[in-house]
């Protein structure tokens, strides 16, 4: 009876496969030539190349747009908020042989105490 059932299923174009996921019906391919299969593989490959190229360009464009957004948002945020940069001073022209952080901080602290007694040098 099982051989009769197999032959009937084969005639109907259905093969019953039992695997780890359970039973599944697979349709036989029929008479497909190798040329048709190659054409389908080439069409699949061309579609993949097109889609990957499209995704690459889309992601690249979105990355550039996000970079522009970040730059504009940073400028807007800096304009509307106070940051440490707003309270920083850049001083140039120190002698190259006197670049010790501790001594520079002490010298700057002494100079700023003259101008503003409550001023404090945080970092050098």
């Amino acid at each position: 009876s099982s051989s009769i059932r197999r032959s009937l299923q084969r005639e109907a174009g259905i093969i019953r496969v039992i695997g780890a996921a359970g039973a599944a019906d697979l349709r036989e391919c029929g008479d497909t030539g190798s040329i048709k299969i190659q054409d389908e593989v080439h069409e699949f490959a061309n579609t993949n190349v097109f889609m990957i190229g499209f995704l690459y360009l889309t992601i690249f464009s979105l990355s550039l747009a996000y970079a522009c957004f970040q730059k504009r948002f940073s400028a807007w945020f800096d304009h509307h908020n106070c940051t440490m940069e707003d309270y920083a001073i850049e001083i140039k022209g120190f002698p190259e042989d006197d670049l010790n952080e501790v001594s520079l901080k002490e010298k700057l602290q002494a100079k700023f105490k003259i101008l503003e007694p409550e001023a404090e040098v945080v970092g050098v």
Side-chain angles (χ1 to χ4, degrees), residues 2-124:
S2 66
S3 63
I4 295 171
R5 195 167 69 190
R6 282 187 199 152
S7 65
L8 289 175
Q9 286 177 344
R10 284 212 179 262
E11 288 175 17
I14 300 172
I15 299 174
R16 190 98 171 137
V17 177
I18 299 176
D25 289 335
L26 298 176
R27 303 257 177 224
E28 289 185 17
C29 293
D31 294 331
T32 55
S34 64
I35 301 290
K36 184 177 178 185
I37 292 172
Q38 286 178 352
D39 289 343
E40 288 180 13
V41 169
H42 285 293
E43 183 181 343
F44 179 74
N46 288 337
T47 303
N48 278 346
V49 166
F50 173 75
M51 291 309 292
I52 289 172
F54 175 75
L55 287 174
Y56 177 78
L57 291 175
T58 302
I59 291 171
F60 180 73
S61 300
L62 290 174
S63 297
L64 288 178
Y66 186 65
C68 291
F69 167 76
Q70 281 183 317
K71 194 157 180 77
R72 278 192 231 126
F73 179 76
S74 175
W76 176 87
F77 186 84
D78 188 44
H79 179 72
H80 288 86
N81 296 293
C82 293
T83 60
M84 287 298 290
E85 185 180 48
D86 297 329
Y87 299 100
I89 298 174
E90 182 179 354
I91 301 173
K92 295 180 180 181
F94 289 104
E96 290 187 22
D97 58 342
D98 190 20
L99 294 179
N100 182 357
E101 265 188 61
V102 176
S103 67
L104 282 176
K105 185 174 180 178
E106 290 172 357
K107 289 177 185 176
L108 290 173
Q109 188 71 42
K111 295 285 185 185
F112 282 116
K113 287 289 181 186
I114 297 170
L115 299 172
E116 180 65 41
E118 296 178 14
E120 182 179 341
V121 176
V122 176
V124 179

